[in-house]
Amino acid sequence: MNEDTTTNLDTPDALDAAPVVNGVKTEPNLNMVMDIPITLSLELGHTRMSVRELLQLTQGSVVKLDRPGGDPLDILVNGCLVARGEVVVINERFGVRITDIVSPEERIRRLR
């Protein structure tokens, strides 16, 4: 069976395009992927240091990051930026409030 599922990723609507099977557009079935595990991570910033500097860190050491305080956190899914947010505390636990969703165009641009 020959199925044509070609999608042009250079177009902004590529993520919204319905798959084509035997020349007929089909609706995507998201139920097939709902139980696939993903890793969601939050990123405060980055820094570079030598192994010597790393080994000199002790309790109370401060590591300066490349991002100014107050900037939004990056929210990553499997290492890909999908949103930005801010830290919140709920019942003595940290959480994140999503403040901005990264557009499909920006996500595709970052893949290149």
Side-chain angles (χ1 to χ4, degrees):
M1 181 176 203
N2 187 8
E3 294 185 22
D4 179 14
T5 58
T6 305
T7 301
N8 183 354
L9 293 178
D10 292 332
T11 63
D13 298 326
L15 296 177
D16 297 325
V20 177
V21 178
N22 294 331
V24 178
K25 282 188 178 182
T26 61
E27 291 300 316
N29 183 355
L30 292 179
N31 289 333
M32 294 177 9
V33 298
M34 291 304 225
D35 292 327
I36 295 174
I38 61 166
T39 300
L40 179 83
S41 56
L42 307 173
E43 202 168 87
L44 291 169
H46 299 94
T47 194
R48 292 183 65 90
M49 63 176 52
S50 67
V51 173
R52 175 176 285 107
E53 292 168 318
L54 177 66
L55 293 174
Q56 291 173 348
L57 294 177
T58 61
Q59 185 174 354
S61 294
V62 175
V63 177
K64 185 178 176 185
L65 301 175
D66 63 349
R67 191 175 291 185
D71 270 11
L73 306 172
D74 288 341
I75 302 170
L76 303 125
V77 172
N78 291 344
C80 295
L81 179 68
V82 296
R84 292 183 182 86
E86 59 191 18
V87 175
V88 295
V89 178
I90 303 168
N91 297 327
E92 299 181 18
R93 292 192 176 262
F94 288 114
V96 64
R97 177 181 296 122
I98 297 174
T99 58
D100 180 43
I101 303 290
V102 175
S103 70
E105 293 85 5
E106 186 176 347
R107 287 194 304 257
I108 290 172
R109 191 171 37 255
R110 288 176 174 273
L111 289 173
R112 294 183 181 151

